[in-house]
Amino acid sequence: INITIADGETTESDINLFDINGRVLANKSNTNHSRTIAVSRSNLITGVYFLEINNGKQVITKKVLID
């Protein structure tokens, strides 16, 4: 899963991937302010997941479908 950060929004952020039951399956910290962050999906089965991005000012949660 590749996450692209909008121009001007490359701040330090934490990324978490949750399963439908709320368990954290992966977490990454974007401490180098890169515009693209990769989260591995190699261990994920088909289903619905939630991606949470927290930059300290706001938290964004998006639904992710793996098929």
Side-chain angles (χ1 to χ4, degrees):
I1 302 169
N2 290 318
I3 304 154
T4 302
I5 308 298
D7 287 336
E9 298 294 327
T10 55
T11 61
E12 186 172 323
S13 53
D14 294 317
I15 296 104
N16 292 301
L17 183 68
F18 299 92
D19 67 8
I20 196 77
N21 295 314
R23 291 180 294 216
V24 177
L25 302 176
N27 57 9
K28 292 199 120 180
S29 291
N30 183 23
T31 56
N32 61 358
H33 307 282
S34 77
R35 292 206 57 239
T36 303
I37 301 114
V39 177
S40 175
R41 60 174 260 179
S42 63
N43 295 326
L44 303 178
I45 60 171
T46 300
V48 177
Y49 298 88
F50 296 94
L51 186 66
E52 178 186 87
I53 304 169
N54 182 345
N55 69 3
K57 295 179 185 176
Q58 64 181 349
V59 177
I60 300 168
T61 305
K62 296 290 184 178
K63 183 169 42 172
V64 178
L65 300 173
I66 302 292
D67 59 2

PDB file of all heavy atoms in Angstrom, residues 21-48:
ATOM      1  N   ASN A  21     -11.314  -5.658  13.375  1.00  0.00           N
ATOM      2  CA  ASN A  21     -11.514  -5.793  14.819  1.00  0.00           C
ATOM      3  C   ASN A  21     -10.705  -4.777  15.624  1.00  0.00           C
ATOM      4  O   ASN A  21     -10.714  -4.819  16.854  1.00  0.00           O
ATOM      5  CB  ASN A  21     -11.139  -7.211  15.272  1.00  0.00           C
ATOM      6  CG  ASN A  21     -12.060  -8.243  14.663  1.00  0.00           C
ATOM      7  OD1 ASN A  21     -13.270  -8.075  14.664  1.00  0.00           O
ATOM      8  ND2 ASN A  21     -11.480  -9.294  14.112  1.00  0.00           N
ATOM      9  N   GLY A  22     -10.005  -3.875  14.943  1.00  0.00           N
ATOM     10  CA  GLY A  22      -9.254  -2.828  15.622  1.00  0.00           C
ATOM     11  C   GLY A  22      -7.837  -3.194  16.019  1.00  0.00           C
ATOM     12  O   GLY A  22      -7.164  -2.417  16.684  1.00  0.00           O
ATOM     13  N   ARG A  23      -7.370  -4.376  15.614  1.00  0.00           N
ATOM     14  CA  ARG A  23      -5.998  -4.773  15.923  1.00  0.00           C
ATOM     15  C   ARG A  23      -5.020  -4.064  14.989  1.00  0.00           C
ATOM     16  O   ARG A  23      -5.252  -3.992  13.784  1.00  0.00           O
ATOM     17  CB  ARG A  23      -5.824  -6.278  15.777  1.00  0.00           C
ATOM     18  CG  ARG A  23      -6.570  -7.077  16.832  1.00  0.00           C
ATOM     19  CD  ARG A  23      -6.341  -8.538  16.609  1.00  0.00           C
ATOM     20  NE  ARG A  23      -6.972  -8.896  15.328  1.00  0.00           N
ATOM     21  CZ  ARG A  23      -7.584 -10.041  15.085  1.00  0.00           C
ATOM     22  NH1 ARG A  23      -7.613 -10.977  16.014  1.00  0.00           N
ATOM     23  NH2 ARG A  23      -8.119 -10.282  13.923  1.00  0.00           N
ATOM     24  N   VAL A  24      -3.921  -3.568  15.543  1.00  0.00           N
ATOM     25  CA  VAL A  24      -2.891  -2.921  14.731  1.00  0.00           C
ATOM     26  C   VAL A  24      -2.078  -4.002  14.028  1.00  0.00           C
ATOM     27  O   VAL A  24      -1.498  -4.870  14.661  1.00  0.00           O
ATOM     28  CB  VAL A  24      -1.957  -2.049  15.601  1.00  0.00           C
ATOM     29  CG1 VAL A  24      -0.854  -1.439  14.742  1.00  0.00           C
ATOM     30  CG2 VAL A  24      -2.742  -0.965  16.314  1.00  0.00           C
ATOM     31  N   LEU A  25      -2.069  -3.955  12.700  1.00  0.00           N
ATOM     32  CA  LEU A  25      -1.347  -4.944  11.899  1.00  0.00           C
ATOM     33  C   LEU A  25      -0.006  -4.419  11.417  1.00  0.00           C
ATOM     34  O   LEU A  25       0.916  -5.196  11.163  1.00  0.00           O
ATOM     35  CB  LEU A  25      -2.190  -5.365  10.698  1.00  0.00           C
ATOM     36  CG  LEU A  25      -3.562  -5.942  11.031  1.00  0.00           C
ATOM     37  CD1 LEU A  25      -4.319  -6.232   9.759  1.00  0.00           C
ATOM     38  CD2 LEU A  25      -3.434  -7.188  11.885  1.00  0.00           C
ATOM     39  N   ALA A  26       0.091  -3.119  11.264  1.00  0.00           N
ATOM     40  CA  ALA A  26       1.342  -2.507  10.819  1.00  0.00           C
ATOM     41  C   ALA A  26       1.374  -1.074  11.325  1.00  0.00           C
ATOM     42  O   ALA A  26       0.337  -0.440  11.462  1.00  0.00           O
ATOM     43  CB  ALA A  26       1.438  -2.525   9.297  1.00  0.00           C
ATOM     44  N   ASN A  27       2.575  -0.606  11.612  1.00  0.00           N
ATOM     45  CA  ASN A  27       2.720   0.810  11.954  1.00  0.00           C
ATOM     46  C   ASN A  27       4.064   1.305  11.438  1.00  0.00           C
ATOM     47  O   ASN A  27       5.036   0.576  11.381  1.00  0.00           O
ATOM     48  CB  ASN A  27       2.551   1.070  13.450  1.00  0.00           C
ATOM     49  CG  ASN A  27       3.514   0.284  14.301  1.00  0.00           C
ATOM     50  OD1 ASN A  27       4.435  -0.337  13.791  1.00  0.00           O
ATOM     51  ND2 ASN A  27       3.313   0.309  15.582  1.00  0.00           N
ATOM     52  N   LYS A  28       4.062   2.543  11.001  1.00  0.00           N
ATOM     53  CA  LYS A  28       5.266   3.178  10.471  1.00  0.00           C
ATOM     54  C   LYS A  28       5.286   4.611  10.951  1.00  0.00           C
ATOM     55  O   LYS A  28       4.248   5.215  11.182  1.00  0.00           O
ATOM     56  CB  LYS A  28       5.250   3.177   8.942  1.00  0.00           C
ATOM     57  CG  LYS A  28       5.377   1.812   8.326  1.00  0.00           C
ATOM     58  CD  LYS A  28       5.812   1.935   6.908  1.00  0.00           C
ATOM     59  CE  LYS A  28       7.107   1.196   6.828  1.00  0.00           C
ATOM     60  NZ  LYS A  28       7.727   1.165   5.571  1.00  0.00           N
ATOM     61  N   SER A  29       6.474   5.140  11.064  1.00  0.00           N
ATOM     62  CA  SER A  29       6.648   6.558  11.364  1.00  0.00           C
ATOM     63  C   SER A  29       7.358   7.208  10.190  1.00  0.00           C
ATOM     64  O   SER A  29       8.377   6.703   9.714  1.00  0.00           O
ATOM     65  CB  SER A  29       7.477   6.744  12.630  1.00  0.00           C
ATOM     66  OG  SER A  29       6.745   6.326  13.750  1.00  0.00           O
ATOM     67  N   ASN A  30       6.816   8.301   9.732  1.00  0.00           N
ATOM     68  CA  ASN A  30       7.408   9.051   8.634  1.00  0.00           C
ATOM     69  C   ASN A  30       8.234  10.182   9.242  1.00  0.00           C
ATOM     70  O   ASN A  30       7.823  11.331   9.264  1.00  0.00           O
ATOM     71  CB  ASN A  30       6.321   9.597   7.708  1.00  0.00           C
ATOM     72  CG  ASN A  30       6.900  10.329   6.521  1.00  0.00           C
ATOM     73  OD1 ASN A  30       8.038  10.098   6.138  1.00  0.00           O
ATOM     74  ND2 ASN A  30       6.121  11.215   5.941  1.00  0.00           N
ATOM     75  N   THR A  31       9.406   9.831   9.751  1.00  0.00           N
ATOM     76  CA  THR A  31      10.243  10.822  10.422  1.00  0.00           C
ATOM     77  C   THR A  31      11.167  11.562   9.462  1.00  0.00           C
ATOM     78  O   THR A  31      11.727  12.579   9.824  1.00  0.00           O
ATOM     79  CB  THR A  31      11.095  10.155  11.516  1.00  0.00           C
ATOM     80  OG1 THR A  31      11.862   9.107  10.928  1.00  0.00           O
ATOM     81  CG2 THR A  31      10.222   9.601  12.623  1.00  0.00           C
ATOM     82  N   ASN A  32      11.301  11.064   8.236  1.00  0.00           N
ATOM     83  CA  ASN A  32      12.182  11.734   7.277  1.00  0.00           C
ATOM     84  C   ASN A  32      11.417  12.649   6.322  1.00  0.00           C
ATOM     85  O   ASN A  32      11.965  13.120   5.341  1.00  0.00           O
ATOM     86  CB  ASN A  32      13.026  10.725   6.495  1.00  0.00           C
ATOM     87  CG  ASN A  32      12.178   9.781   5.687  1.00  0.00           C
ATOM     88  OD1 ASN A  32      10.957   9.831   5.727  1.00  0.00           O
ATOM     89  ND2 ASN A  32      12.819   8.906   4.939  1.00  0.00           N
ATOM     90  N   HIS A  33      10.132  12.874   6.605  1.00  0.00           N
ATOM     91  CA  HIS A  33       9.297  13.815   5.852  1.00  0.00           C
ATOM     92  C   HIS A  33       9.185  13.469   4.366  1.00  0.00           C
ATOM     93  O   HIS A  33       9.093  14.354   3.531  1.00  0.00           O
ATOM     94  CB  HIS A  33       9.809  15.249   6.015  1.00  0.00           C
ATOM     95  CG  HIS A  33       9.967  15.667   7.427  1.00  0.00           C
ATOM     96  ND1 HIS A  33       8.906  16.034   8.219  1.00  0.00           N
ATOM     97  CD2 HIS A  33      11.056  15.751   8.231  1.00  0.00           C
ATOM     98  CE1 HIS A  33       9.330  16.351   9.427  1.00  0.00           C
ATOM     99  NE2 HIS A  33      10.640  16.177   9.462  1.00  0.00           N
ATOM    100  N   SER A  34       9.195  12.193   4.033  1.00  0.00           N
ATOM    101  CA  SER A  34       9.082  11.814   2.623  1.00  0.00           C
ATOM    102  C   SER A  34       7.638  11.981   2.156  1.00  0.00           C
ATOM    103  O   SER A  34       6.711  12.008   2.948  1.00  0.00           O
ATOM    104  CB  SER A  34       9.561  10.386   2.403  1.00  0.00           C
ATOM    105  OG  SER A  34       8.607   9.462   2.828  1.00  0.00           O
ATOM    106  N   ARG A  35       7.458  12.094   0.853  1.00  0.00           N
ATOM    107  CA  ARG A  35       6.122  12.290   0.292  1.00  0.00           C
ATOM    108  C   ARG A  35       5.390  10.980   0.065  1.00  0.00           C
ATOM    109  O   ARG A  35       4.182  10.962  -0.062  1.00  0.00           O
ATOM    110  CB  ARG A  35       6.228  13.040  -1.041  1.00  0.00           C
ATOM    111  CG  ARG A  35       6.685  14.470  -0.830  1.00  0.00           C
ATOM    112  CD  ARG A  35       6.257  15.431  -1.897  1.00  0.00           C
ATOM    113  NE  ARG A  35       4.832  15.457  -2.078  1.00  0.00           N
ATOM    114  CZ  ARG A  35       4.233  15.170  -3.227  1.00  0.00           C
ATOM    115  NH1 ARG A  35       4.916  14.831  -4.274  1.00  0.00           N
ATOM    116  NH2 ARG A  35       2.927  15.240  -3.335  1.00  0.00           N
ATOM    117  N   THR A  36       6.124   9.856  -0.012  1.00  0.00           N
ATOM    118  CA  THR A  36       5.497   8.560  -0.233  1.00  0.00           C
ATOM    119  C   THR A  36       5.941   7.590   0.850  1.00  0.00           C
ATOM    120  O   THR A  36       7.130   7.476   1.135  1.00  0.00           O
ATOM    121  CB  THR A  36       5.874   8.001  -1.616  1.00  0.00           C
ATOM    122  OG1 THR A  36       5.500   8.939  -2.620  1.00  0.00           O
ATOM    123  CG2 THR A  36       5.168   6.687  -1.886  1.00  0.00           C
ATOM    124  N   ILE A  37       4.963   6.890   1.445  1.00  0.00           N
ATOM    125  CA  ILE A  37       5.230   5.908   2.489  1.00  0.00           C
ATOM    126  C   ILE A  37       4.629   4.589   2.024  1.00  0.00           C
ATOM    127  O   ILE A  37       3.504   4.550   1.540  1.00  0.00           O
ATOM    128  CB  ILE A  37       4.596   6.320   3.831  1.00  0.00           C
ATOM    129  CG1 ILE A  37       5.145   7.677   4.270  1.00  0.00           C
ATOM    130  CG2 ILE A  37       4.863   5.291   4.908  1.00  0.00           C
ATOM    131  CD1 ILE A  37       4.116   8.733   4.290  1.00  0.00           C
ATOM    132  N   ALA A  38       5.391   3.512   2.151  1.00  0.00           N
ATOM    133  CA  ALA A  38       4.909   2.188   1.750  1.00  0.00           C
ATOM    134  C   ALA A  38       4.612   1.355   2.991  1.00  0.00           C
ATOM    135  O   ALA A  38       5.409   1.307   3.920  1.00  0.00           O
ATOM    136  CB  ALA A  38       5.938   1.480   0.888  1.00  0.00           C
ATOM    137  N   VAL A  39       3.433   0.721   2.986  1.00  0.00           N
ATOM    138  CA  VAL A  39       3.044  -0.214   4.037  1.00  0.00           C
ATOM    139  C   VAL A  39       2.837  -1.560   3.356  1.00  0.00           C
ATOM    140  O   VAL A  39       2.064  -1.668   2.405  1.00  0.00           O
ATOM    141  CB  VAL A  39       1.748   0.237   4.760  1.00  0.00           C
ATOM    142  CG1 VAL A  39       1.314  -0.788   5.793  1.00  0.00           C
ATOM    143  CG2 VAL A  39       1.936   1.604   5.402  1.00  0.00           C
ATOM    144  N   SER A  40       3.524  -2.582   3.827  1.00  0.00           N
ATOM    145  CA  SER A  40       3.458  -3.898   3.196  1.00  0.00           C
ATOM    146  C   SER A  40       2.068  -4.515   3.369  1.00  0.00           C
ATOM    147  O   SER A  40       1.466  -4.434   4.427  1.00  0.00           O
ATOM    148  CB  SER A  40       4.496  -4.824   3.811  1.00  0.00           C
ATOM    149  OG  SER A  40       4.354  -6.117   3.274  1.00  0.00           O
ATOM    150  N   ARG A  41       1.591  -5.137   2.310  1.00  0.00           N
ATOM    151  CA  ARG A  41       0.317  -5.860   2.375  1.00  0.00           C
ATOM    152  C   ARG A  41       0.519  -7.354   2.172  1.00  0.00           C
ATOM    153  O   ARG A  41      -0.432  -8.099   1.991  1.00  0.00           O
ATOM    154  CB  ARG A  41      -0.674  -5.309   1.366  1.00  0.00           C
ATOM    155  CG  ARG A  41      -0.200  -5.402  -0.067  1.00  0.00           C
ATOM    156  CD  ARG A  41      -1.230  -5.000  -1.036  1.00  0.00           C
ATOM    157  NE  ARG A  41      -1.840  -6.214  -1.573  1.00  0.00           N
ATOM    158  CZ  ARG A  41      -2.812  -6.227  -2.446  1.00  0.00           C
ATOM    159  NH1 ARG A  41      -3.299  -5.119  -2.897  1.00  0.00           N
ATOM    160  NH2 ARG A  41      -3.288  -7.353  -2.883  1.00  0.00           N
ATOM    161  N   SER A  42       1.760  -7.798   2.249  1.00  0.00           N
ATOM    162  CA  SER A  42       2.083  -9.190   1.955  1.00  0.00           C
ATOM    163  C   SER A  42       1.415 -10.177   2.922  1.00  0.00           C
ATOM    164  O   SER A  42       1.134 -11.303   2.536  1.00  0.00           O
ATOM    165  CB  SER A  42       3.597  -9.399   1.950  1.00  0.00           C
ATOM    166  OG  SER A  42       4.128  -9.125   3.229  1.00  0.00           O
ATOM    167  N   ASN A  43       1.174  -9.778   4.149  1.00  0.00           N
ATOM    168  CA  ASN A  43       0.561 -10.684   5.127  1.00  0.00           C
ATOM    169  C   ASN A  43      -0.937 -10.462   5.294  1.00  0.00           C
ATOM    170  O   ASN A  43      -1.539 -11.009   6.216  1.00  0.00           O
ATOM    171  CB  ASN A  43       1.246 -10.521   6.491  1.00  0.00           C
ATOM    172  CG  ASN A  43       2.690 -10.953   6.446  1.00  0.00           C
ATOM    173  OD1 ASN A  43       3.044 -11.872   5.725  1.00  0.00           O
ATOM    174  ND2 ASN A  43       3.526 -10.274   7.196  1.00  0.00           N
ATOM    175  N   LEU A  44      -1.539  -9.677   4.417  1.00  0.00           N
ATOM    176  CA  LEU A  44      -2.961  -9.355   4.552  1.00  0.00           C
ATOM    177  C   LEU A  44      -3.807 -10.257   3.667  1.00  0.00           C
ATOM    178  O   LEU A  44      -3.488 -10.478   2.505  1.00  0.00           O
ATOM    179  CB  LEU A  44      -3.208  -7.892   4.172  1.00  0.00           C
ATOM    180  CG  LEU A  44      -2.430  -6.848   4.955  1.00  0.00           C
ATOM    181  CD1 LEU A  44      -2.758  -5.455   4.424  1.00  0.00           C
ATOM    182  CD2 LEU A  44      -2.716  -6.945   6.438  1.00  0.00           C
ATOM    183  N   ILE A  45      -4.892 -10.754   4.239  1.00  0.00           N
ATOM    184  CA  ILE A  45      -5.837 -11.534   3.452  1.00  0.00           C
ATOM    185  C   ILE A  45      -6.890 -10.589   2.878  1.00  0.00           C
ATOM    186  O   ILE A  45      -6.967  -9.424   3.266  1.00  0.00           O
ATOM    187  CB  ILE A  45      -6.504 -12.637   4.313  1.00  0.00           C
ATOM    188  CG1 ILE A  45      -7.264 -12.025   5.481  1.00  0.00           C
ATOM    189  CG2 ILE A  45      -5.467 -13.629   4.800  1.00  0.00           C
ATOM    190  CD1 ILE A  45      -8.125 -13.011   6.247  1.00  0.00           C
ATOM    191  N   THR A  46      -7.702 -11.079   1.979  1.00  0.00           N
ATOM    192  CA  THR A  46      -8.775 -10.285   1.407  1.00  0.00           C
ATOM    193  C   THR A  46      -9.683  -9.783   2.518  1.00  0.00           C
ATOM    194  O   THR A  46     -10.063 -10.540   3.403  1.00  0.00           O
ATOM    195  CB  THR A  46      -9.588 -11.146   0.413  1.00  0.00           C
ATOM    196  OG1 THR A  46      -8.711 -11.582  -0.623  1.00  0.00           O
ATOM    197  CG2 THR A  46     -10.741 -10.382  -0.174  1.00  0.00           C
ATOM    198  N   GLY A  47      -9.993  -8.500   2.474  1.00  0.00           N
ATOM    199  CA  GLY A  47     -10.884  -7.948   3.491  1.00  0.00           C
ATOM    200  C   GLY A  47     -10.823  -6.442   3.574  1.00  0.00           C
ATOM    201  O   GLY A  47     -10.231  -5.770   2.737  1.00  0.00           O
ATOM    202  N   VAL A  48     -11.429  -5.908   4.626  1.00  0.00           N
ATOM    203  CA  VAL A  48     -11.506  -4.468   4.877  1.00  0.00           C
ATOM    204  C   VAL A  48     -10.528  -4.116   5.992  1.00  0.00           C
ATOM    205  O   VAL A  48     -10.471  -4.787   7.022  1.00  0.00           O
ATOM    206  CB  VAL A  48     -12.942  -4.060   5.280  1.00  0.00           C
ATOM    207  CG1 VAL A  48     -13.012  -2.577   5.617  1.00  0.00           C
ATOM    208  CG2 VAL A  48     -13.930  -4.414   4.190  1.00  0.00           C
TER     209      VAL A  48
END
